[in-house]
């Protein structure tokens, strides 16, 4: 029997959470398609100085898909700090992640950002393929409902205005490997994470949007548990899905948590302008899949990687059963 091909599209901690769980599923081939639109923090400084695609989300995915936790995989996330604020400068090492610096060094020595990812994937014994959605240096824009235009992925959530659409001003070409992976996938997963600044920066690339339209694989969105201040304030499950569909994504099933979040945790998040994401409509054009997905360690609401693994295993069985039915 052939391995099932699973593609996970996104960026940030949410995508890494999914990958950290599903890498333990047997008989699957994983491809992570990762946004390179990030322009904040260490990533933003390095991408501006070296004129290369954003590497921060790539670093996170490399760590998540590493076969085992090694000294190098642990150090990849290490951030250089200083007790002396006077030494911090735009090009200083302070504030940078070691993994980001390694990716810059490998890109310069190999001459290719994509090749640097492949080299580091072999060193970390990564269980899957990691593909940037584009190899270009890109800048994400957003137009708000009042017509305000915001430049830069890092700035978009800071405006605290309802987002109407995200877009690129320049033509962006997708990585060919990303297109091929989408076309061949048995299961395509969007998420988890920032809809407008982690998932959609991949989907709005025209060639990726076209590949998703033609793809035969089932398309799954794993919905956020809590709203994100400034980006999805007051959003419910349906608002998240509508944002994906309005930007050209195709959604067959939406995975939603059915965990009971403790009241004291809800209050803590409410103080930070974040609320639980709920289902509010009775009818949908997509199937709702409810499952226990969350972990409340340290009084935080986080998705549990191993619970996600169980859900994805179930979804893959559904895909397999559908294939068998069609063959009869």
């Amino acid at each position: 029997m052939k391995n099932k091909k699973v593609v996970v599209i996104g960026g940030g901690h949410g995508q890494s959470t999914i990958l950290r769980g599903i890498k333990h599923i047997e008989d699957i081939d994983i491809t992570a398609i990762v946004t390179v639109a990030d322009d904040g923090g260490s990533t933003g400084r390095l991408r501006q100085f070296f004129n290369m695609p954003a590497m921060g989300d790539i670093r996170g995915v490399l760590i998540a898909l590493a076969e085992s936790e090694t000294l190098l995989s642990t150090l990849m996330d290490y951030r250089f700090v200083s007790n002396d604020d006077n030494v911090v400068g735009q090009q200083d090492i302070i504030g940078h992640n070691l993994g980001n610096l390694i990716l810059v060094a490998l890109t310069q020595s190999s001459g290719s950002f994509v090749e640097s990812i492949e080299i580091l994937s072999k060193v970390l014994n990564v269980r899957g393929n990691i593909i940037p959605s584009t190899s270009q240096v890109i800048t994400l824009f957003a137009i708000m409902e009042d017509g305000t235009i915001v430049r830069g992925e890092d700035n978009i959530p800071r405006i605290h205005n309802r987002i109407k659409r995200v877009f690129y001003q320049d033509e962006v070409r997708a990585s060919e490997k990303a297109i091929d992976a989408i076309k061949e996938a048995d299961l395509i997963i969007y998420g988890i994470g920032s809809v407008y600044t982690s998932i959609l920066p991949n989907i709005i690339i025209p060639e990726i949007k076209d590949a998703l339209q033609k793809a035969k694989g089932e398309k799954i969105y794993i919905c956020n548990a809590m709203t994100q201040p400034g980006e999805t304030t007051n959003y419910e499950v349906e608002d998240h899905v509508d944002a994906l569909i309005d930007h050209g994504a195709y959604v067959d099933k939406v995975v939603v948590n059915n965990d009971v979040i403790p009241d004291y945790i809800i209050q803590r998040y409410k103080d930070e302008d974040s609320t639980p994401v709920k289902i509010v409509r009775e009818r949908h054009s997509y199937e709702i899949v409810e499952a226990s997905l969350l972990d409340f360690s340290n009084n935080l609401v986080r998705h549990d990687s191993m619970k996600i693994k169980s859900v994805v295993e179930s979804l893959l069985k559904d895909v397999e059963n559908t294939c068998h039915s069609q063959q009869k």
Side-chain angles (χ1 to χ4, degrees), residues 98-111:
L98 178 60
N100 290 354
L101 297 175
I102 292 173
L103 281 166
V104 170
L106 286 172
T107 298
Q108 290 197 326
S109 62
S110 69

Side-chain angles (χ1 to χ4, degrees), residues 295-314:
D295 173 74
F296 304 120
S297 300
N298 301 316
N299 298 329
L300 297 172
V301 179
R302 294 287 185 267
H303 281 81
D304 184 290
S305 293
M306 299 315 290
K307 289 182 178 180
I308 289 173
K309 169 183 175 283
S310 296
V311 172
V312 173
E313 283 177 323
S314 178

Side-chain angles (χ1 to χ4, degrees), residues 79 83 88 121 147 159 181 208 231 279:
R79 185 183 297 273
N83 294 324
V88 179
S121 292
I159 303 301
I208 288 182
E231 183 162 336
I279 301 168

Side-chain angles (χ1 to χ4, degrees), residues 69-80:
E69 187 173 324
T70 62
L71 176 60
L72 179 57
S73 66
T74 302
L75 286 175
M76 284 278 290
D77 236 1
Y78 176 78
R79 185 183 297 273
F80 294 92

Side-chain angles (χ1 to χ4, degrees), residues 5 44 64 67 70 79 102 121 131 137 197 234 271 286 292 322:
K5 298 180 184 295
E67 186 171 27
T70 62
R79 185 183 297 273
I102 292 173
S121 292
I131 304 171
V137 180
T197 54
N234 297 324
D271 293 341
Y286 40 85
S292 175
T322 300

